[in-house]
Amino acid sequence: MHKARGRVRLVAGQSRVLTDNEIYLVQQLLPSGVVLAPAHGGGTVTKRFDELSTVQDATDGRTDAIFGALSPRWESLSASAQRTATGRLEVVLEILTGYRYGFAALACSGEPREAFSPTRTLTQRATSMAHQLRLEKDLDRDHVIRVARGELLDRSPGVTTLLNWVRAYRAEGLWGLVDSRATRVSAGDAALPDLFKELANAEFRLLDGDISTVNVRTMEERIQRRAQAQGKTLDYPQRRGKKYLSALMSERGRGTRAQRSRSMRDTAGYQHYPAMRPGQVVAIDATRADVLVWDDLHERSFSVEILTALDVATRCVLGLRVVPKSASAIDASLLLYDVMRPFQLHVDGSTITDWRWAGIPEAVDFNCEGLHEAPLDGTHSIPSVHPDAIRCDHGTIFVGEHFTRLLNDLGIDLMLSRGTRPTDNTHVERWHETLQRALQDLPGYKGRSPFERGRLVGRSDNERGQKLLTATELERFLRAWVALDYHRTPHSGLVISGATNARHTPLSMFDALTSITGRLDVAQSPDLVYQFLPIRWATIRHDGVRIANLTYDDAVLNEFRHLQPGAFRNEDRAAPFFVDPRDLSRVWFRHPATGQVHPINWRGAWRLNAPLTQTVLQRVREQVRARGGNAALGRRGATDEIIRSLNSLMAAQASVADKAMWSAARVRVDASQRDHLEAQLALYSRERVTAQMPESPPPASESVTVVEQPAPEESPIAIRSENNDAGSAVLATAWAQLNGLSAAAPGPDESSDQAAGW
């Protein structure tokens, strides 16, 4: 058979085997091996088939197989060294046996020749062989031409050389005929002084990415100066020394980025965390989006960040949010809010909805079905889990008081990566690279560095007809890409024991692990979002409640204006309010009797023409302090001054920093409104479901049925015609705003939470 297939045909009396000491002829084939006969006679040897390894080419008269003990050393030689050794072996065998290949059964034409008869002495046979080799060289036209050009010396083995070959073959076998220059081991680094290597290693250890890199020549000069500072002189082979320094430079990396990565290897992990079930570890991180988005109000492009929550066991994306730079602790908390509630995305032809909350109001879903590989049209599920642990870095948004307290309340462990060790959170870091596949198709893609940035990046509608996406549109696009592309694409890192060759998608892996470990959804509540917002304690007075120098009031607070101490907490008359720093135009109050969460609006919100976020409020305070602070204001003029400052800032837009602040504020307020509208929609859905449920609960043996929200394709008009009441109008308005439809501008007496767009 062909040698490339790793097999060879051994024929008794014809095939040869190369061993450590000489060539053997296959004399007999046994069921488990072969019987070999040496060229010199004197008994046979038996070798097993598994001892015959590397197959050689049998078409040129050389050996058919190699004995395993010789194989490693033989394969380490170059092809030219192997040809030289086998050529010398043919010469020695013809001198000793009279046959070029050592066996009478393999005799060539004219063999055996009289010149190599056993009756002649060994010296006489060597003399005849030297003469024959001289003639062969003179008849080789190519060799003669190369000698005439001076490329080769006109040399041929003499009698003494041939006798030395015979003695080496008898003493060491075939290995004695290998050219010693081919097996010579270079002195290498051993030729360098220990002091030189010690100083070189110490100097290259400083290249850890914190300092600028230099070339090898500069490093050599620094080593010489270090030796002189110690009063010593370095004497070493210059060529070997530069080669040693080049090897150290290659090991550390030519650039600072590679050097920083190399410096982390000593403390980096080389094995994945053995997450065995969904939700065991959820990795979260923020990255700057390599695509610019557009602000329609201020007509400018700006940068945003992408927050992602990735399940380590299944690689499912459990939550994704596009937020202004830089992300805050509230953004991280609401990302965790997305992780703990299930989503669905609906595709109907060319229409694709945003991720819709498919929560089960105050129920638990024990049904593990539904996360299968659905066709493109239909409903695509995005799973939810209650994480056991969160893996993240030491970013301030993850180690702050609000986020850590939230994890403590939810019973979730916080697994922090070590400082400057991004490889500790390798799964989500790799996800950022995968995300490039989606971002590169978008207008406004600016590349990974200025080297890749195009001339037209940042223009809303350039001459190529590419219009930038808004932050909301970018979030919807990425969420659709996750559901329709990433979750349906086989992932090379997903392997199930016993099916290592199978290709699994994130959703199929989630199904597989869920069927093994079971699944317990988070108990979904319409007002789940408020559990992820910070709480501020404030006293309810006759004019409302004052939080962050803003006065909030609503009719729902009437019965709590004269509370006794200890009503909500023992030490005072304060009550808890949920505050969303993304939109301070309102706070939220949970009624202790009904449990319902009510919005409490800022008293000056109806006069506001600008988004009011925590960042904007801090900027307003700076202006108020610059004009004399509270001492320059009357008691009733504080609200007027805040509104006046906000509107003036909005109109002036004097600096790039102001423009960036307003663009970010608009994105945050829009996101806040969407989250709270979803909560209102879920609350209304639960009330409808509760009203339609039978009085008697289902048997315990039956599985709990998933109750979904109204399908996204239902229009607000259809909902109003079916339920002609105030609740239906609120539901219709919520659906309209969630689907990006424009709503009517509110009047001065309407609630500010229904204002559409700043």
Side-chain angles (χ1 to χ4, degrees):
M1 292 187 179
H2 196 274
K3 66 174 182 176
R5 300 180 181 178
R7 304 178 63 185
V8 68
R9 186 185 301 276
L10 297 179
V11 181
Q14 298 182 15
S15 301
R16 300 190 307 162
V17 176
L18 185 64
T19 67
D20 286 336
N21 48 7
E22 61 178 300
I23 290 286
Y24 282 80
L25 183 67
V26 177
Q27 188 178 44
Q28 183 182 0
L29 296 176
L30 301 177
S32 59
V34 292
V35 178
L36 304 176
H40 303 293
T44 60
V45 295
T46 302
K47 299 293 184 182
R48 299 189 311 272
F49 283 123
D50 58 358
E51 295 181 277
L52 306 179
S53 57
T54 305
V55 176
Q56 301 295 315
D57 192 353
T59 60
D60 59 354
R62 302 193 186 280
T63 57
D64 298 297
I66 292 182
F67 182 56
L70 176 65
S71 177
R73 289 191 300 170
W74 183 256
E75 292 176 354
S76 65
L77 298 176
S78 63
S80 61
Q82 292 179 358
R83 288 194 300 268
T84 300
T86 53
R88 292 178 180 181
L89 177 62
E90 293 175 358
V91 172
V92 171
L93 289 178
E94 191 168 3
I95 293 175
L96 295 177
T97 65
Y99 299 97
R100 182 178 182 181
Y101 299 131
F103 299 94
L106 303 178
C108 298
S109 177
E111 293 183 349
R113 298 180 178 86
E114 181 63 27
F116 305 107
S117 172
T119 58
R120 303 187 66 188
T121 64
L122 186 62
T123 301
Q124 292 174 336
R125 283 179 279 175
T127 302
S128 299
M129 177 58 70
H131 179 68
Q132 179 177 331
L133 293 177
R134 179 68 183 182
L135 292 176
E136 291 177 356
K137 184 177 296 185
D138 292 340
L139 294 176
D140 187 352
R141 181 176 179 83
D142 292 338
H143 179 80
V144 173
I145 292 176
R146 295 184 66 184
V147 170
R149 292 176 178 174
E151 298 177 3
L152 296 177
L153 296 177
D154 188 13
R155 293 180 181 177
S156 60
V159 177
T160 302
T161 301
L162 296 179
L163 292 176
N164 290 335
W165 287 359
V166 172
R167 283 191 290 269
Y169 175 74
R170 287 175 172 174
E172 302 180 44
L174 174 64
W175 200 253
L177 301 178
V178 176
D179 193 335
S180 59
R181 291 172 295 182
T183 59
R184 183 181 302 167
V185 179
S186 174
D189 298 342
L192 298 173
D194 293 338
L195 177 61
F196 175 83
K197 292 185 287 186
E198 178 183 349
L199 296 178
N201 290 326
E203 194 66 38
F204 275 93
R205 275 196 296 269
L206 299 177
L207 299 180
D208 56 359
D210 294 337
I211 62 175
S212 300
T213 186
V214 295
N215 55 29
V216 173
R217 182 173 181 178
T218 302
M219 297 298 290
E220 186 176 12
E221 294 174 355
R222 291 180 180 179
I223 294 171
Q224 293 286 359
R225 288 196 295 268
R226 279 198 175 203
Q228 293 176 3
Q230 298 179 11
K232 299 178 181 179
T233 302
L234 288 178
D235 186 14
Y236 58 91
Q238 296 297 318
R239 184 177 179 181
R240 183 68 245 178
K242 291 183 178 179
K243 188 175 182 180
Y244 182 79
L245 297 180
S246 297
L248 289 180
M249 178 64 79
S250 178
E251 179 183 350
R252 299 300 298 181
R254 296 289 177 180
T256 54
R257 183 175 181 179
Q259 293 167 6
R260 187 177 297 108
S261 299
R262 300 294 193 280
S263 65
M264 295 187 297
R265 283 184 174 178
D266 295 338
T267 57
Y270 292 92
Q271 293 182 347
H272 294 314
Y273 181 84
M276 302 301 295
R277 58 180 175 80
Q280 188 173 0
V281 177
V282 174
I284 63 176
D285 197 10
T287 184
R288 185 68 54 85
D290 293 326
V291 61
L292 295 175
V293 299
W294 187 253
D295 183 0
D296 291 329
L297 182 61
H298 305 94
E299 296 184 349
R300 62 180 300 271
S301 59
F302 64 102
S303 298
V304 292
E305 292 186 349
I306 301 175
L307 276 172
T308 309
L310 189 74
D311 181 53
V312 173
T314 65
R315 305 300 199 276
C316 278
V317 175
L318 305 177
L320 185 146
R321 284 184 175 247
V322 174
V323 300
K325 61 174 189 180
S326 295
S328 63
I330 298 299
D331 296 324
S333 301
L334 293 174
L335 179 69
L336 184 58
Y337 165 60
D338 292 341
V339 170
M340 299 178 64
R341 56 178 182 157
F343 286 101
Q344 287 182 350
L345 179 143
H346 189 77
V347 178
D348 184 7
S350 60
T351 303
I352 303 177
T353 67
D354 191 10
W355 284 10
R356 296 304 189 195
W357 185 11
I360 311 154
E362 296 184 349
V364 178
D365 176 21
F366 293 96
N367 186 7
C368 297
E369 300 178 357
L371 289 178
H372 53 275
E373 293 293 340
L376 190 61
D377 281 355
T379 300
H380 299 262
S381 299
I382 293 89
S384 65
V385 296
H386 186 291
D388 288 350
I390 292 293
R391 163 70 77 180
C392 57
D393 55 28
H394 282 263
T396 55
I397 65 175
F398 302 129
V399 298
E401 179 183 2
H402 174 67
F403 191 72
T404 54
R405 180 180 298 176
L406 176 63
L407 295 183
N408 184 62
D409 293 341
L410 296 174
I412 301 175
D413 296 331
L414 180 60
M415 301 171 57
L416 293 174
S417 303
R418 293 165 295 177
T420 67
R421 297 294 184 271
T423 52
D424 287 354
N425 204 8
T426 178
H427 301 94
V428 73
E429 295 290 348
R430 180 60 183 85
W431 155 256
H432 295 159
E433 299 297 324
T434 303
L435 200 59
Q436 293 295 313
R437 186 158 52 91
L439 297 177
Q440 290 179 0
D441 289 334
L442 297 178
Y445 178 72
K446 57 183 180 179
R448 307 300 299 272
S449 65
F451 178 76
E452 302 176 359
R453 188 164 303 174
R455 178 176 60 88
L456 302 177
V457 173
R459 300 183 185 180
S460 175
D461 196 359
N462 53 53
E463 57 257 34
R464 296 181 181 268
Q466 295 178 328
K467 186 176 181 180
L468 299 184
L469 302 179
T470 64
T472 302
E473 291 172 342
L474 175 61
E475 183 178 83
R476 289 177 177 173
F477 171 80
L478 292 179
R479 288 182 169 185
W481 179 82
V482 166
L484 303 180
D485 187 315
Y486 173 73
H487 276 176
R488 298 162 58 92
T489 302
H491 197 296
S492 59
L494 299 177
V495 180
I496 296 180
S497 178
T500 55
N501 295 328
R503 303 184 67 188
H504 300 281
T505 65
L507 280 184
S508 64
M509 176 62 75
F510 190 93
D511 284 340
L513 295 186
T514 297
S515 63
I516 298 173
T517 62
R519 175 182 177 189
L520 182 65
D521 278 349
V522 182
Q524 299 297 320
S525 175
D527 54 7
L528 181 65
V529 64
Y530 302 105
Q531 188 175 353
F532 296 82
L533 297 178
I535 296 176
R536 299 291 183 266
W537 290 84
T539 303
I540 304 174
R541 304 180 185 276
H542 67 281
D543 58 343
V545 59
R546 191 172 182 83
I547 300 176
N549 294 327
L550 300 177
T551 302
Y552 301 85
D553 198 9
D554 193 88
V556 74
L557 299 180
N558 290 340
E559 57 182 303
F560 304 100
R561 299 188 190 277
H562 303 285
L563 288 176
Q564 297 297 323
F568 288 96
R569 64 180 182 181
N570 295 330
E571 55 266 27
D572 53 28
R573 299 170 50 222
F577 291 86
F578 299 106
V579 178
D580 191 343
R582 301 173 301 168
D583 184 9
L584 295 179
S585 64
R586 55 185 172 174
V587 295
W588 303 85
F589 174 70
R590 186 186 297 275
H591 198 288
T594 64
Q596 185 176 356
V597 179
H598 300 271
I600 311 298
N601 298 313
W602 179 39
R603 298 180 64 176
W606 67 275
R607 300 167 54 191
L608 195 61
N609 295 325
L612 183 59
T613 65
Q614 185 71 40
T615 303
V616 172
L617 184 59
Q618 291 176 357
R619 182 65 177 276
V620 170
R621 288 173 177 171
E622 293 176 1
Q623 284 198 352
V624 173
R625 284 194 296 266
R627 289 195 290 266
N630 294 334
L633 299 175
R635 187 171 184 179
R636 296 183 178 180
T639 299
D640 295 337
E641 179 63 22
I642 291 176
I643 294 174
R644 190 181 306 112
S645 299
L646 278 171
N647 294 337
S648 64
L649 282 174
M650 186 70 177
Q653 298 183 3
S655 64
V656 176
D658 289 340
K659 295 179 181 180
M661 179 186 67
W662 291 122
S663 297
R666 184 192 181 191
V667 173
R668 295 191 185 279
V669 171
D670 289 346
S672 176
Q673 290 184 352
R674 290 197 303 270
D675 289 334
H676 292 293
L677 284 171
E678 285 178 353
Q680 294 176 15
L681 182 62
L683 176 61
Y684 182 72
S685 298
R686 183 186 67 170
E687 293 175 351
R688 291 182 58 192
V689 171
T690 304
Q692 298 174 4
M693 288 180 60
E695 295 182 0
S696 58
S701 59
E702 297 182 4
S703 61
V704 180
T705 303
V706 178
V707 181
E708 299 182 357
Q709 298 176 358
E713 61 269 22
E714 294 182 0
S715 64
I717 298 177
I719 297 175
R720 278 198 294 271
S721 62
E722 181 182 353
N723 303 278
N724 189 14
D725 53 18
S728 299
V730 173
L731 181 63
T733 304
W735 271 119
Q737 295 195 29
L738 286 176
N739 285 287
L741 302 178
S742 59
D749 56 342
E750 294 182 57
S751 175
S752 63
D753 63 325
Q754 296 181 5
W758 295 103

Short mmCIF file of all heavy atoms in Angstrom, two decimals, residues 718-741:
data_model
loop_
_atom_site.label_atom_id
_atom_site.label_comp_id
_atom_site.label_asym_id
_atom_site.label_seq_id
_atom_site.Cartn_x
_atom_site.Cartn_y
_atom_site.Cartn_z
N ALA A 718 -57.22 47.57 18.84
CA ALA A 718 -57.90 46.30 19.16
C ALA A 718 -58.03 46.13 20.66
O ALA A 718 -59.04 45.63 21.16
CB ALA A 718 -57.13 45.14 18.55
N ILE A 719 -57.02 46.54 21.40
CA ILE A 719 -57.09 46.41 22.85
C ILE A 719 -58.15 47.33 23.42
O ILE A 719 -58.92 46.95 24.30
CB ILE A 719 -55.71 46.73 23.46
CG1 ILE A 719 -54.67 45.72 22.97
CG2 ILE A 719 -55.79 46.72 24.98
CD1 ILE A 719 -53.28 46.02 23.41
N ARG A 720 -58.24 48.54 22.92
CA ARG A 720 -59.24 49.47 23.43
C ARG A 720 -60.66 49.00 23.11
O ARG A 720 -61.58 49.16 23.90
CB ARG A 720 -59.00 50.87 22.85
CG ARG A 720 -57.93 51.66 23.58
CD ARG A 720 -58.07 53.13 23.24
NE ARG A 720 -57.77 53.37 21.82
CZ ARG A 720 -56.55 53.63 21.36
NH1 ARG A 720 -55.55 53.67 22.19
NH2 ARG A 720 -56.36 53.85 20.08
N SER A 721 -60.87 48.43 21.92
CA SER A 721 -62.22 47.99 21.58
C SER A 721 -62.66 46.82 22.44
O SER A 721 -63.84 46.64 22.70
CB SER A 721 -62.27 47.59 20.10
OG SER A 721 -61.38 46.50 19.86
N GLU A 722 -61.69 46.02 22.88
CA GLU A 722 -62.05 44.88 23.72
C GLU A 722 -62.27 45.29 25.16
O GLU A 722 -63.11 44.73 25.86
CB GLU A 722 -60.92 43.83 23.64
CG GLU A 722 -61.20 42.58 24.47
CD GLU A 722 -60.03 41.63 24.40
OE1 GLU A 722 -59.10 41.89 23.63
OE2 GLU A 722 -60.06 40.62 25.13
N ASN A 723 -61.54 46.26 25.64
CA ASN A 723 -61.65 46.70 27.03
C ASN A 723 -61.80 48.22 27.02
O ASN A 723 -60.81 48.95 27.05
CB ASN A 723 -60.42 46.29 27.84
CG ASN A 723 -60.20 44.81 27.81
OD1 ASN A 723 -60.82 44.06 28.55
ND2 ASN A 723 -59.32 44.36 26.91
N ASN A 724 -62.98 48.69 26.97
CA ASN A 724 -63.22 50.12 26.86
C ASN A 724 -63.27 50.74 28.25
O ASN A 724 -64.33 51.02 28.80
CB ASN A 724 -64.54 50.37 26.11
CG ASN A 724 -64.72 51.84 25.79
OD1 ASN A 724 -63.77 52.61 25.88
ND2 ASN A 724 -65.92 52.22 25.42
N ASP A 725 -62.11 50.91 28.86
CA ASP A 725 -62.04 51.52 30.17
C ASP A 725 -60.71 52.24 30.29
O ASP A 725 -59.89 52.26 29.38
CB ASP A 725 -62.21 50.48 31.28
CG ASP A 725 -61.25 49.31 31.13
OD1 ASP A 725 -60.25 49.47 30.41
OD2 ASP A 725 -61.50 48.24 31.73
N ALA A 726 -60.50 52.86 31.46
CA ALA A 726 -59.27 53.64 31.66
C ALA A 726 -58.03 52.77 31.60
O ALA A 726 -56.98 53.17 31.10
CB ALA A 726 -59.35 54.38 32.99
N GLY A 727 -58.15 51.55 32.16
CA GLY A 727 -56.99 50.65 32.14
C GLY A 727 -56.58 50.29 30.74
O GLY A 727 -55.40 50.18 30.42
N SER A 728 -57.54 50.13 29.84
CA SER A 728 -57.20 49.81 28.46
C SER A 728 -56.47 50.95 27.79
O SER A 728 -55.56 50.75 26.99
CB SER A 728 -58.49 49.49 27.69
OG SER A 728 -59.14 48.38 28.26
N ALA A 729 -56.86 52.18 28.11
CA ALA A 729 -56.18 53.34 27.52
C ALA A 729 -54.73 53.39 27.97
O ALA A 729 -53.82 53.69 27.18
CB ALA A 729 -56.91 54.61 27.91
N VAL A 730 -54.48 53.10 29.27
CA VAL A 730 -53.10 53.08 29.76
C VAL A 730 -52.31 51.99 29.07
O VAL A 730 -51.15 52.17 28.66
CB VAL A 730 -53.09 52.87 31.29
CG1 VAL A 730 -51.67 52.67 31.79
CG2 VAL A 730 -53.74 54.05 31.99
N LEU A 731 -52.93 50.83 28.90
CA LEU A 731 -52.26 49.72 28.23
C LEU A 731 -51.94 50.05 26.78
O LEU A 731 -50.85 49.76 26.27
CB LEU A 731 -53.15 48.47 28.30
CG LEU A 731 -52.59 47.19 27.67
CD1 LEU A 731 -51.33 46.78 28.40
CD2 LEU A 731 -53.62 46.08 27.71
N ALA A 732 -52.89 50.70 26.10
CA ALA A 732 -52.66 51.07 24.70
C ALA A 732 -51.52 52.07 24.58
O ALA A 732 -50.68 51.98 23.69
CB ALA A 732 -53.95 51.65 24.10
N THR A 733 -51.51 53.06 25.48
CA THR A 733 -50.43 54.05 25.45
C THR A 733 -49.08 53.39 25.71
O THR A 733 -48.06 53.72 25.09
CB THR A 733 -50.69 55.14 26.51
OG1 THR A 733 -51.97 55.71 26.27
CG2 THR A 733 -49.61 56.21 26.44
N ALA A 734 -49.07 52.44 26.64
CA ALA A 734 -47.82 51.73 26.94
C ALA A 734 -47.32 50.96 25.73
O ALA A 734 -46.14 51.01 25.37
CB ALA A 734 -48.03 50.78 28.12
N TRP A 735 -48.23 50.24 25.05
CA TRP A 735 -47.81 49.49 23.86
C TRP A 735 -47.30 50.43 22.78
O TRP A 735 -46.34 50.14 22.08
CB TRP A 735 -49.00 48.69 23.31
CG TRP A 735 -49.10 47.32 23.91
CD1 TRP A 735 -50.12 46.82 24.63
CD2 TRP A 735 -48.11 46.30 23.85
NE1 TRP A 735 -49.84 45.54 25.03
CE2 TRP A 735 -48.60 45.18 24.56
CE3 TRP A 735 -46.86 46.19 23.28
CZ2 TRP A 735 -47.92 44.00 24.71
CZ3 TRP A 735 -46.15 45.01 23.43
CH2 TRP A 735 -46.68 43.93 24.14
N ALA A 736 -47.97 51.57 22.62
CA ALA A 736 -47.54 52.52 21.59
C ALA A 736 -46.14 53.03 21.86
O ALA A 736 -45.30 53.12 20.96
CB ALA A 736 -48.54 53.68 21.51
N GLN A 737 -45.87 53.39 23.11
CA GLN A 737 -44.55 53.93 23.44
C GLN A 737 -43.48 52.85 23.39
O GLN A 737 -42.35 53.09 23.00
CB GLN A 737 -44.59 54.60 24.82
CG GLN A 737 -45.50 55.82 24.86
CD GLN A 737 -45.27 56.66 26.09
OE1 GLN A 737 -44.17 56.70 26.62
NE2 GLN A 737 -46.31 57.35 26.53
N LEU A 738 -43.82 51.61 23.78
CA LEU A 738 -42.84 50.54 23.74
C LEU A 738 -42.48 50.17 22.31
O LEU A 738 -41.39 49.70 22.03
CB LEU A 738 -43.38 49.30 24.47
CG LEU A 738 -43.40 49.39 26.00
CD1 LEU A 738 -44.05 48.15 26.58
CD2 LEU A 738 -42.00 49.56 26.55
N ASN A 739 -43.41 50.35 21.37
CA ASN A 739 -43.15 50.05 19.97
C ASN A 739 -42.59 51.24 19.22
O ASN A 739 -42.50 51.23 18.00
CB ASN A 739 -44.43 49.57 19.29
CG ASN A 739 -44.79 48.15 19.68
OD1 ASN A 739 -44.13 47.21 19.22
ND2 ASN A 739 -45.79 47.98 20.51
N GLY A 740 -42.23 52.32 19.94
CA GLY A 740 -41.61 53.46 19.29
C GLY A 740 -42.57 54.40 18.61
O GLY A 740 -42.17 55.24 17.81
N LEU A 741 -43.90 54.27 18.90
CA LEU A 741 -44.87 55.17 18.29
C LEU A 741 -44.89 56.49 19.03
O LEU A 741 -44.66 56.56 20.22
CB LEU A 741 -46.26 54.52 18.30
CG LEU A 741 -46.37 53.16 17.60
CD1 LEU A 741 -47.78 52.62 17.74
CD2 LEU A 741 -45.99 53.27 16.14
#
